[in-house]
Amino acid sequence: MHRFRLSLADLATTWFACSPIQEAALSLRMWTHPGFYPLQSPAFERLRPDFERLDSALLLSLVAANRWIPDFLTPRPVTPSADFRTELAVVRALPPEQLRPELEQTFLPHGQPLPALLAAGLADPARLLARIADALEEYWEVCLAPGWWPQARTVLEADLVYRARVLSQYGAAALFADLDHRLHWEDGVLAINRRWSGQDGDITVDGRGLVLAPTFFARGAITMISNDRPPQISYPARGQGGMAGPAAPVTRRALELLLGAPKARLLALLAEPASTTELAYRLGVTPGAVSQHLAVLHETGLVTRARNGRSVLYSRSPLGDELTGGPRRG
């Protein structure tokens, strides 16, 4: 269990960021553990020929069997929308004498030896660090930046907007509960269940700020290996389904079997924004019945809602559009 202790001032300085170098480093897991992130598999399979022409042996050696990667590859972002080369400069600036401890804390605690390629490279840590940074930069420029990152950044930035709205409307407790089931907020302590690490940590944020970063390459909330790093938590990004490419729409019958006929009919009507009262009139049912179904559809991310004066208007979300095969208009 990792525990982040936040004062009121710390809570006020908790902020969100998307980090391209975090995504580049964590995406190396796609090549070592592809089945863990199935929504990303189609895109990365298309990238495989390019990846295999790089210094892929070195890049693959940076991922431990339990999917850990060294902390220095994911420096904490300093702005909400970080620049890859600015973050890469932080990686390059690691003092060479720190490289061995960074690598050892990734592999040795779980009885794994350092990969032979890394162990041999530590004879000249400055050269090895430069080679790692060069390989990561080439991976970014050849594989990720041209096609994958522009779409990924859109999804990550949409996640940030959503999280900021949850925080402003419902507060910290609702935000942390919504980020991931591994997070628990109580009495000024944000705890993250780290069954995956077997390590405990008790971290006082102490004015340093807590950064929350969405990622495509984690199955639950994660944090840094070292307790000495500035406080940061990464969590699974919303809207990842769109990264897998367009899917065949679900048939009307299948949609009814999945959701039930009332919810399927509501979803079909919500190509255009509508109020509860309007939907009830069109379906010939009570507003209360419609509200119950809309609450479920909203909770599952299939519809969105927005206030318009005294009315609340509902419409299909992008996920709802994908499921029905019909884009929203307007």
Side-chain angles (χ1 to χ4, degrees), residues 200-273:
D200 287 341
D202 204 330
I203 300 169
T204 301
V205 175
D206 194 25
R208 294 177 293 170
L210 172 64
V211 174
L212 303 170
T215 179
F216 292 104
F217 308 104
R219 299 176 70 181
I222 57 175
T223 188
M224 311 298 275
I225 300 171
S226 171
N227 296 336
D228 298 326
R229 290 273 175 173
Q232 176 179 341
I233 293 175
S234 299
Y235 61 89
R238 299 176 78 248
Q240 296 192 41
M243 297 295 294
V250 179
T251 66
R252 175 71 177 270
R253 175 59 179 159
L255 197 60
E256 290 182 355
L257 290 172
L258 178 66
L259 302 176
K263 294 182 185 64
R265 293 176 64 196
L266 273 175
L267 202 59
L269 290 175
L270 287 173
E272 299 283 357

Side-chain angles (χ1 to χ4, degrees), residues 19-312:
S19 166
I21 205 164
Q22 170 185 266
E23 295 308 278
L26 291 180
S27 76
L28 296 176
R29 296 169 164 179
M30 284 299 304
W31 310 109
T32 56
H33 298 76
F36 280 80
Y37 314 103
L39 293 176
Q40 302 305 316
S41 294
F44 277 78
E45 280 305 309
R46 291 191 292 271
L47 295 173
R48 184 175 293 279
D50 290 331
F51 177 75
E52 291 177 347
R53 287 193 290 269
L54 306 179
D55 194 352
S56 55
L58 177 64
L59 292 171
L60 294 176
S61 74
L62 295 168
V63 184
N66 61 355
R67 291 178 288 134
W68 280 21
I69 63 170
D71 281 346
F72 78 93
L73 293 177
T74 56
R76 192 171 85 153
V78 296
T79 63
S81 185
D83 173 73
F84 176 81
R85 285 171 181 79
T86 300
E87 293 187 306
L88 184 65
V90 177
V91 173
R92 292 187 183 277
L94 180 78
E97 64 272 16
Q98 292 184 19
L99 183 57
R100 179 181 291 274
E102 289 273 350
L103 295 175
E104 288 181 345
Q105 73 176 358
T106 304
F107 295 92
L108 301 189
H110 303 279
Q112 302 174 44
L114 285 181
L117 196 157
L118 298 178
L122 284 172
D124 187 344
R127 182 178 180 183
L128 176 60
L129 177 62
R131 182 181 169 189
I132 290 171
D134 289 346
L136 194 61
E137 182 174 24
E138 187 179 27
Y139 174 51
W140 173 261
E141 291 179 346
V142 172
C143 293
L144 301 183
W148 183 84
W149 176 244
Q151 183 182 3
R153 180 175 56 195
T154 298
V155 174
L156 295 175
E157 289 177 347
D159 179 282
L160 301 191
V161 171
Y162 170 81
R163 305 300 180 184
R165 186 168 66 244
V166 172
L167 179 61
S168 66
Q169 293 181 347
Y170 303 107
L175 169 69
F176 294 135
D178 191 49
L179 285 180
D180 186 61
H181 69 281
R182 293 181 182 176
L183 295 174
H184 307 278
W185 168 253
E186 187 175 3
D187 297 331
V189 176
L190 179 62
I192 174 172
N193 187 335
R194 290 188 64 173
R195 294 187 305 271
W196 46 274
S197 73
Q199 294 184 342
D200 287 341
D202 204 330
I203 300 169
T204 301
V205 175
D206 194 25
R208 294 177 293 170
L210 172 64
V211 174
L212 303 170
T215 179
F216 292 104
F217 308 104
R219 299 176 70 181
I222 57 175
T223 188
M224 311 298 275
I225 300 171
S226 171
N227 296 336
D228 298 326
R229 290 273 175 173
Q232 176 179 341
I233 293 175
S234 299
Y235 61 89
R238 299 176 78 248
Q240 296 192 41
M243 297 295 294
V250 179
T251 66
R252 175 71 177 270
R253 175 59 179 159
L255 197 60
E256 290 182 355
L257 290 172
L258 178 66
L259 302 176
K263 294 182 185 64
R265 293 176 64 196
L266 273 175
L267 202 59
L269 290 175
L270 287 173
E272 299 283 357
S275 68
T276 302
T277 302
E278 179 185 352
L279 292 166
Y281 174 78
R282 294 173 68 180
L283 292 172
V285 297
T286 66
V290 170
S291 293
Q292 291 179 15
H293 293 307
L294 287 173
V296 174
L297 293 173
H298 181 264
E299 183 69 19
T300 54
L302 295 176
V303 303
T304 62
R305 61 189 179 196
R307 182 166 292 279
N308 181 28
R310 295 184 177 181
S311 299
V312 175

